[in-house]
Amino acid sequence: MTYYRFFRRIFRLIFSLVFRWQVIGREHIPKEGPVILCANHISLWDPPLLGCGIERQVHFMAKEELFKIPVLSFFITKFGAFPVKRGAGDRAAIRTALKLLEDGKIFGIFPEGTRSKTGEPQEALPGVAMFALKSQAVVIPVAIVGPYRAFRPIKIVYGKPIDLTSMREAKTGSDVLKETSDLIMARIKELRNQHLS
């Protein structure tokens, strides 16, 4: 058993016993090929939750400061994370993410760039659009419906793929990036609103 599968089992047990998680729409995840999972961000629990809901391994960016903590660095690396310098265009991290997609892996990203303080989805940053348009990955919106409270249900909803054909055919530019980011975030919000009750 790999480290990833081992840690995933532990987190699944936590989500089942403590948070009574509900997983919806995992049938929308392709069984192979590049995938970008785009989710709203409300808690530090979100990355493991995003990865635990499906069988394929999910890779994430995580702020580089976390990799300076020896024990934590070991765990998050084994769970599929790689470092990114926040607040700057980290070309190494971008190349790593695009190479993962080129190799047919799954890349998980939180378009808002940081956790929402209110729990309400915020505006997406252009980074998510850049990854979506520079790759041929299937883009899946994901809604995390919280909050995380002991013995209260937490939902993770994987939506249908977003059709980005017209945007991928358009010339890249700030307008296309914003339009793509807004579309992805709108789909996440729709999913969340559908499953709030």
Side-chain angles (χ1 to χ4, degrees), residues 10 43 58 72 100 113 130 141 147 149 164:
I10 292 175
S43 168
V58 180
L72 181 60
L100 286 167
M130 184 270 295
R149 291 179 182 165
L164 297 177

Side-chain angles (χ1 to χ4, degrees), residues 156-178:
I156 180 161
V157 187
Y158 300 93
K160 295 180 180 179
I162 301 173
D163 185 0
L164 297 177
T165 303
S166 61
M167 293 164 185
R168 283 171 171 160
E169 292 174 350
K171 292 183 178 179
T172 57
S174 59
D175 290 344
V176 177
L177 287 174
K178 183 172 184 350

Side-chain angles (χ1 to χ4, degrees), residues 53-196:
I54 62 177
E55 293 306 311
R56 294 179 63 186
Q57 181 171 1
V58 180
H59 301 267
F60 301 92
M61 286 182 178
K63 60 182 181 180
E64 64 174 353
E65 292 83 358
L66 298 179
F67 292 85
K68 296 177 182 178
I69 306 171
V71 176
L72 181 60
S73 175
F74 172 81
F75 283 111
I76 62 177
T77 299
K78 295 303 182 182
F79 206 75
F82 58 94
V84 60
K85 296 177 182 177
R86 298 204 301 176
D90 188 339
R91 294 185 178 182
I94 292 171
R95 286 195 298 268
T96 298
L98 291 174
K99 182 63 167 62
L100 286 167
L101 293 170
E102 183 182 327
D103 292 342
K105 309 290 187 181
I106 296 185
F107 173 51
I109 188 171
F110 301 101
E112 298 153 287
T114 189
R115 296 190 303 278
S116 169
K117 294 179 180 179
T118 65
E120 294 293 322
Q122 309 298 305
E123 186 174 349
L125 299 177
V128 64
M130 184 270 295
F131 289 117
L133 298 178
K134 279 184 173 286
S135 70
Q136 292 302 311
V138 175
V139 177
I140 302 286
V142 185
I144 297 173
V145 186
Y148 291 84
R149 291 179 182 165
F151 311 117
R152 297 283 297 277
I154 183 84
K155 296 179 185 177
I156 180 161
V157 187
Y158 300 93
K160 295 180 180 179
I162 301 173
D163 185 0
L164 297 177
T165 303
S166 61
M167 293 164 185
R168 283 171 171 160
E169 292 174 350
K171 292 183 178 179
T172 57
S174 59
D175 290 344
V176 177
L177 287 174
K178 183 172 184 350
E179 184 180 354
T180 304
S181 297
D182 288 348
L183 173 60
I184 291 171
M185 206 65 215
R187 293 294 175 81
I188 294 171
K189 290 178 182 178
E190 287 174 11
L191 274 181
R192 179 179 177 273
N193 291 339
Q194 289 169 9
H195 294 86
L196 275 175

Side-chain angles (χ1 to χ4, degrees), residues 10-72:
I10 292 175
F11 278 115
R12 281 178 172 176
L13 188 62
I14 293 171
F15 291 135
S16 296
L17 297 179
V18 178
F19 296 117
R20 298 179 180 175
W21 71 330
Q22 300 173 14
V23 182
I24 301 167
R26 58 163 57 102
E27 69 274 9
H28 295 137
I29 307 297
K31 297 186 183 306
E32 57 185 25
V35 176
I36 302 175
L37 298 180
C38 307
N40 59 310
H41 198 6
I42 61 174
S43 168
L44 292 172
W45 287 103
D46 293 342
L49 182 74
L50 189 62
C52 283
I54 62 177
E55 293 306 311
R56 294 179 63 186
Q57 181 171 1
V58 180
H59 301 267
F60 301 92
M61 286 182 178
K63 60 182 181 180
E64 64 174 353
E65 292 83 358
L66 298 179
F67 292 85
K68 296 177 182 178
I69 306 171
V71 176
L72 181 60

